[in-house]
Amino acid sequence: MRLAVIARVFGILLTVFSLTLLPPIGVSLWYEDGTHIAFSIAFAITLLTGLFMWLPVHDLKQDLRTRDGFVVTSLFWLILGSFGALPLIISPEPNLNIVDSIFESISGLTTTGATTIVGLDTLPPAILYYRQQLQWFGGIGVIVIALAILPMLGIGGMQLYKAEMPGPVKDTKLTPRIAETARALFVIYIALTVLCGIGYWWAGMTVFDAVGHAFSTVANGGFSTHDASMGFYAHNNAIMAIAIIFMLTAAINFGLHFYALGNRTVKHYWKDSEFRFYIIVTIAASVVIIGYLYTSGTYDMRGSFLHGVFQVVSIGTTAGFGSETFAVWPAFLPYVLLLLGIMGACAGSTSGGIKAVRVMLIVKSGMRELNRLVHPNAVVPIKVNRKIVPPRVTDAVWGFFAIYILSFFILTIVVMATGENFVTSFSTVASCLSNIGPALGDAASHYGEVNGVAKCFLILAMLMGRLEIFTLLVLLTPAFWRH
């Protein structure tokens, strides 16, 4: 591991990130809410720190190695989240302590959407805008955005790309060069954001709310400018429909969108095994939840359909918007939604969770073992998109699943040890590890009542979820540090 190379990368990335603090200053001045001072101080601190790290080693021309890439990717989210918390710490509103500020910042950047803030409707507009902007940058992945810049500065990005996307599709590139891939993803991401914002504005949102909710919708983050979340607009069918459409669109592998634009066709979507699997699961879950909400008398047919479909899509894509507080829904429904969020949506999208492709491979692998019980000598290959999946991939998926479950139970026990009850501990860990946001128990409305020590472990869970666990845990292995 070469500290000079890592310091240079951190310096550049922090310097670039400092520029994202300028738009909130403009918003503050426009609305005259007085928070421009806090953002200006945060901008100066972040910029000077970045330059301090970059200037001594700016002439260094060495490339990143794989080991350096894992260190940068893992630590950058924590460092970025800490610097991103500066405006929340400095500003008198929303009056958060350091732990809550870092929790809010990392929740935004990892697109988890868990919040410790109460009283969003009365917060300064610049703070509200900043929270939404954090999710927007987190959605595409600040590392992926940086990939379009780092190659021009003489720093190769393939190591970061592999570390940021450690799933089954990590070696799939949309274009031959990694920088072109990052730019292609970024262009698609911006286009979806613009279309979503225009749609919200057309349907009745103010320009401010339309921009803010477009940021968090396309990022599948779930932050809102209102305490009631999307429930604030539950009376507006057009807004709810637009939210559902764009949450689903952002939950699909961006590689499919890229192919659709390049070839002007949509036939390939249904040919994709993961897409079919995810849509079928979403439809099945919607039918079950709508049916139970209606037959249990929780809502009438319109309410059951509206809230049922919206919450299935919102939690299933790990966006985490709320049209209603689903934690108070009857019987098993809240846990069905949590399980959907744990699965998540498609790989290569802005969603969190285990990812549908992994769950699909686990199901196919299980079915193959059942088949082998009946036909012991049969050769039954596992296929995805009509291609045989190598055993190495299925082994990696099972390994990821085992580590995920182990991490989940350990973190749940640790959070319980801090004094939280089982339902709160179980649901907050599930929510943070899968980057969903909403939880049950004492965190059903917000995470403000969760104790500070538990929040520290939930921050760890959010980071593990964003990096899909392996990228972070590999730093703890002795083999990683051997020369």
Side-chain angles (χ1 to χ4, degrees), residues 43 80 128 130 153-154 187 218 272 281 287 352:
F43 166 74
L80 188 67
L128 291 175
Y130 179 63
L153 301 173
V187 168
V218 175
D272 183 75
V281 169
V287 170

Side-chain angles (χ1 to χ4, degrees), residues 87-123:
L88 302 176
I89 296 171
I90 298 170
S91 176
E93 292 186 80
N95 190 28
L96 300 180
N97 58 41
I98 293 177
V99 172
D100 284 358
S101 298
I102 294 176
F103 182 95
E104 195 78 15
S105 175
I106 291 180
S107 176
L109 286 171
T110 58
T111 71
T112 302
T115 184
T116 60
I117 300 177
V118 182
L120 292 172
D121 295 274
T122 59
L123 279 185

Side-chain angles (χ1 to χ4, degrees), residues 77 108-111 133-142 189 219 466:
W77 286 99
L109 286 171
T110 58
T111 71
Q133 181 185 271
L134 280 175
Q135 291 213 314
W136 191 74
F137 282 113
I140 190 62
V142 178
Y189 191 68
R466 177 62 185 180

Side-chain angles (χ1 to χ4, degrees), residues 129-283:
Y129 170 82
Y130 179 63
R131 293 171 71 248
Q132 307 302 112
Q133 181 185 271
L134 280 175
Q135 291 213 314
W136 191 74
F137 282 113
I140 190 62
V142 178
I143 299 297
V144 176
I145 293 175
L147 289 177
I149 300 171
L150 292 182
M152 294 186 292
L153 301 173
I155 301 174
M158 181 55 75
Q159 292 82 0
L160 290 180
Y161 182 75
K162 288 184 176 180
E164 171 71 1
M165 306 181 74
V169 296
K170 68 179 180 181
D171 293 321
T172 301
K173 292 188 290 184
L174 310 182
T175 55
R177 298 177 63 86
I178 189 63
E180 294 174 12
T181 298
R183 292 190 193 100
L185 294 172
F186 199 31
V187 168
I188 295 170
Y189 191 68
I190 291 175
L192 288 177
T193 305
V194 171
L195 290 174
C196 183
I198 292 173
Y200 279 144
W201 174 74
W202 169 82
M205 280 190 181
T206 64
V207 172
F208 183 84
D209 274 5
V211 171
H213 285 88
F215 281 172
S216 55
T217 301
V218 175
N220 272 323
F223 274 166
S224 176
T225 55
H226 301 286
D227 285 311
S229 190
M230 278 293 183
F232 188 85
Y233 295 103
H235 63 282
N236 189 318
N237 291 337
I239 287 177
M240 302 298 278
I242 290 167
I244 290 171
I245 290 169
F246 280 94
M247 283 189 290
L248 281 173
T249 303
I252 298 169
N253 190 323
F254 271 53
L256 297 179
H257 298 326
F258 181 84
Y259 185 87
L261 289 174
N263 295 274
R264 301 185 182 279
T265 179
V266 295
K267 294 180 180 179
H268 64 290
Y269 282 101
W270 192 249
K271 293 179 181 179
D272 183 75
S273 300
E274 183 188 29
F275 176 82
R276 288 200 309 272
F277 178 80
Y278 176 66
I279 294 300
I280 290 170
V281 169
T282 300
I283 292 173

Side-chain angles (χ1 to χ4, degrees), residues 317-328:
T317 59
T318 72
F321 285 121
S323 62
E324 282 283 310
T325 305
F326 72 87
V328 299

Side-chain angles (χ1 to χ4, degrees), residues 256-421:
L256 297 179
H257 298 326
F258 181 84
Y259 185 87
L261 289 174
N263 295 274
R264 301 185 182 279
T265 179
V266 295
K267 294 180 180 179
H268 64 290
Y269 282 101
W270 192 249
K271 293 179 181 179
D272 183 75
S273 300
E274 183 188 29
F275 176 82
R276 288 200 309 272
F277 178 80
Y278 176 66
I279 294 300
I280 290 170
V281 169
T282 300
I283 292 173
S286 297
V287 170
V288 170
I289 289 180
I290 291 169
Y292 200 90
L293 286 175
Y294 180 69
T295 56
S296 64
T298 306
Y299 303 107
D300 58 16
M301 179 52 73
R302 175 192 176 277
S304 298
F305 184 84
L306 172 68
H307 298 299
V309 173
F310 186 88
Q311 289 302 156
V312 166
V313 173
S314 178
I315 304 300
T317 59
T318 72
F321 285 121
S323 62
E324 282 283 310
T325 305
F326 72 87
V328 299
W329 282 1
F332 62 96
L333 297 188
Y335 295 96
V336 171
L337 289 173
L338 268 184
L339 285 175
L340 284 174
I342 289 172
M343 181 186 83
C346 301
S349 70
T350 60
S351 296
I354 293 175
K355 299 293 189 299
V357 66
R358 287 195 180 99
V359 176
M360 180 181 68
L361 287 173
I362 289 171
V363 171
K364 286 177 175 286
S365 180
M367 295 301 293
R368 180 179 65 177
E369 295 308 310
L370 288 175
N371 199 2
R372 282 176 173 173
L373 290 177
V374 181
H375 306 286
N377 297 321
V379 177
V380 185
I382 296 175
K383 293 183 179 181
V384 173
N385 295 334
R386 298 181 180 179
K387 295 181 180 179
I388 296 176
V389 178
R392 175 71 184 87
V393 174
T394 54
D395 290 345
V397 168
W398 277 108
F400 174 87
F401 185 68
I403 294 296
Y404 183 95
I405 296 299
L406 184 62
S407 302
F408 173 77
F409 280 116
I410 290 175
L411 283 169
T412 299
I413 292 170
V414 170
V415 172
M416 287 179 66
T418 67
E420 299 296 334
N421 61 58

